[in-house]
Amino acid sequence: MFGIVRPCSHRLGEGLKTQWMAHLCGLCLALRGDHGQFARVVTNYDGLLISVLTEAQAEKATGWRRTAGPCPLRGMRTASVAQGEGARLAAAVSLVLASAKVRDHVADGDGLLARKPVALAARRVATSWGRAGARSGSAVGFDTAVLVDAVDRQIGIEALAGPGTPLLTVTEPTETATAAAFAHTAVLAGRSGNAAPLAEAGRLFGRLAHLLDAVEDRETDAASGAWNPLTATGTSLTEARRLADDALHGIRLALREAEFTDGRLAHVLLVHELGRSVDRAFGTSGCGHTADGAHGPHGSPDSPGSGRLLDVPGSALLLAPEGSFGPPPQHGGNPYTGGGNPFGGGPSFPPPAPGRRGFWAGCAAAVGLCCTCKMCCADEYEGPWSRKKREGCLSDCDCDCGCCEACQCCECCECCSCCDCGL
């Protein structure tokens, strides 16, 4: 549900990382603003692409950003976040597809949804989200009926699919839905000429999303007896990888046909990061730096395109009161070290050192960290007593190289011949 494009925190420069976070927060706040706090649980990585594409095509003008209020997950600091029709379209698409996802889980009787009271409550939530998404879509001129129709057709296609059924027949409804959403970003940005290439990019992105989800769930579905498109159609992983690579190539070609005002972030997400998502799903990802530690085409760690991009854990999206997240990690270490034992040192507590919190203030801060899940889910947080920067317990890098702390150019483009962007 949280998407297939999950950038690692060891890539991209400060500028693109800031843009990424602005769109993430903008989607979350658009959901809250139009549909209430609970709707924010449908915030997802892939939905950000709608907002990113809209802004990438639009003429630079005021009104695309606003300053959001303090958020615990960014140290109670304000931040510039995306707003406008792109964020609202992303919210509408996220709500409708989340509604469909919930209904699908209810129909399959997954987990707690096998219990009738829970399933009934889930259906009501799904229905509410579907209606809310339709209202938001209508407000920006997007008819979400194409998404609902795709979901309904998906159920029938899966029921009829069997050995020998072309896998692309199964992925078609997803392709149609994402094509419509991507194409509408051109309408919102006032670039009607981009509608056709972006529809093609969206169609292929939908194919990839469906394929990668099937690949990642293949073993789990086999163990539980759940329906999986690869198993049902008898499609091998080799064929699935071929289709995925073809889709990646098609997205690259489609993006070249579109005109952008500033397409750097869209390019990085839909070309570079999407390719890494494919490698991750098929277990073929690797580190892009050389054995002697030299940097590849990224250049130095401080060069554009070689910095860090925040990888926001999915669960942090669920509880963020203001929908924003902390600054990039500095790899602090164990959050319980470096600040001293607040319970040691005799029967009385010494005065706090400058910059440190006292015992009771630290306790209050620790409670706040736990209640907001920041200690576990945020990439970085401030130690409750020491006020030193600490890395979240679940903060992770998807490079699988084990050496990202020393090398900020992981998975550089020396092995990617898709473009000459130099990122």
Side-chain angles (χ1 to χ4, degrees), residues 18-103:
T18 300
Q19 289 186 43
W20 166 261
M21 294 303 302
H23 288 288
L24 178 65
C25 297
L27 171 56
C28 186
L29 293 176
L31 287 165
R32 185 202 67 177
D34 290 343
H35 310 293
Q37 292 283 358
F38 185 66
R40 301 167 84 174
V41 301
V42 309
T43 304
N44 66 94
Y45 296 109
D46 293 345
L48 302 185
L49 294 174
I50 303 298
S51 180
V52 169
L53 283 171
T54 303
E55 188 174 287
Q57 301 170 77
E59 296 295 334
K60 294 302 179 184
T62 58
W64 288 100
R65 290 284 189 273
R66 73 174 180 88
T67 300
C71 172
L73 293 183
R74 58 169 177 262
M76 296 307 294
R77 290 186 292 269
T78 60
S80 177
V81 302
Q83 67 172 352
E85 294 183 328
R88 298 186 70 187
L89 175 60
V93 171
S94 297
L95 280 168
V96 174
L97 295 183
S99 171
K101 189 76 170 179
V102 171
R103 291 201 305 270

Side-chain angles (χ1 to χ4, degrees), residues 268-327:
V268 169
L269 295 178
L270 287 170
V271 175
H272 297 277
E273 295 299 337
L274 192 54
R276 292 183 178 105
S277 297
V278 173
D279 285 338
R280 182 171 58 240
F282 286 92
T284 58
S285 60
C287 187
H289 65 273
T290 57
D292 61 1
H295 294 286
H298 283 297
S300 69
D302 297 324
S303 64
S306 65
R308 298 171 183 268
L309 175 63
L310 189 62
D311 182 11
V312 183
S315 55
L317 301 172
L318 304 183
L319 299 175
E322 188 53 34
S324 304
F325 304 88

Side-chain angles (χ1 to χ4, degrees), residues 22-331:
H23 288 288
L24 178 65
C25 297
L27 171 56
C28 186
L29 293 176
L31 287 165
R32 185 202 67 177
D34 290 343
H35 310 293
Q37 292 283 358
F38 185 66
R40 301 167 84 174
V41 301
V42 309
T43 304
N44 66 94
Y45 296 109
D46 293 345
L48 302 185
L49 294 174
I50 303 298
S51 180
V52 169
L53 283 171
T54 303
E55 188 174 287
Q57 301 170 77
E59 296 295 334
K60 294 302 179 184
T62 58
W64 288 100
R65 290 284 189 273
R66 73 174 180 88
T67 300
C71 172
L73 293 183
R74 58 169 177 262
M76 296 307 294
R77 290 186 292 269
T78 60
S80 177
V81 302
Q83 67 172 352
E85 294 183 328
R88 298 186 70 187
L89 175 60
V93 171
S94 297
L95 280 168
V96 174
L97 295 183
S99 171
K101 189 76 170 179
V102 171
R103 291 201 305 270
D104 183 57
H105 283 306
V106 170
D108 292 342
D110 294 336
L112 290 175
L113 295 177
R115 301 180 179 180
K116 290 184 178 180
V118 178
L120 179 60
R123 286 194 191 97
R124 290 179 177 175
V125 170
T127 300
S128 174
W129 282 349
R131 292 172 179 169
R135 291 194 302 270
S136 288
S138 177
V140 294
F142 181 66
D143 187 1
T144 59
V146 66
L147 306 182
V148 176
D149 176 69
V151 171
D152 292 340
R153 286 191 297 108
Q154 185 74 54
I155 298 173
I157 289 173
E158 291 182 359
L160 297 175
T165 300
L167 185 59
L168 298 187
T169 299
V170 179
T171 63
E172 180 275 324
T174 305
E175 295 177 22
T176 300
T178 50
F182 273 46
H184 197 69
T185 65
V187 176
L188 295 181
R191 290 187 180 263
S192 57
N194 285 350
L198 290 183
E200 177 67 5
R203 183 179 69 83
L204 295 173
F205 180 83
R207 178 182 301 178
L208 267 178
H210 204 133
L211 282 174
L212 299 190
D213 182 65
V215 170
E216 292 176 343
D217 294 345
R218 186 166 173 259
E219 294 183 359
T220 303
D221 290 343
S224 63
W227 194 91
N228 184 283
L230 299 181
T231 305
T233 60
T235 303
S236 66
L237 287 178
T238 301
E239 175 63 10
R241 181 58 193 255
R242 185 190 68 79
L243 292 172
D245 288 339
D246 286 349
L248 277 176
H249 184 63
I251 290 174
R252 292 163 185 161
L253 295 178
L255 290 178
R256 290 177 185 175
E257 298 297 321
E259 295 182 2
F260 297 100
T261 303
D262 181 1
R264 289 186 303 155
L265 180 58
H267 173 87
V268 169
L269 295 178
L270 287 170
V271 175
H272 297 277
E273 295 299 337
L274 192 54
R276 292 183 178 105
S277 297
V278 173
D279 285 338
R280 182 171 58 240
F282 286 92
T284 58
S285 60
C287 187
H289 65 273
T290 57
D292 61 1
H295 294 286
H298 283 297
S300 69
D302 297 324
S303 64
S306 65
R308 298 171 183 268
L309 175 63
L310 189 62
D311 182 11
V312 183
S315 55
L317 301 172
L318 304 183
L319 299 175
E322 188 53 34
S324 304
F325 304 88
Q330 301 299 320
H331 295 278

Side-chain angles (χ1 to χ4, degrees), residues 4 7 11 159 163 174 180 221-222 247 257 292 308 363 374 417 420 423:
I4 61 174
R11 292 187 292 266
T174 305
D221 290 343
E257 298 297 321
D292 61 1
R308 298 171 183 268
C363 288
K374 191 173 182 182
S417 58
D420 297 318
L423 292 171

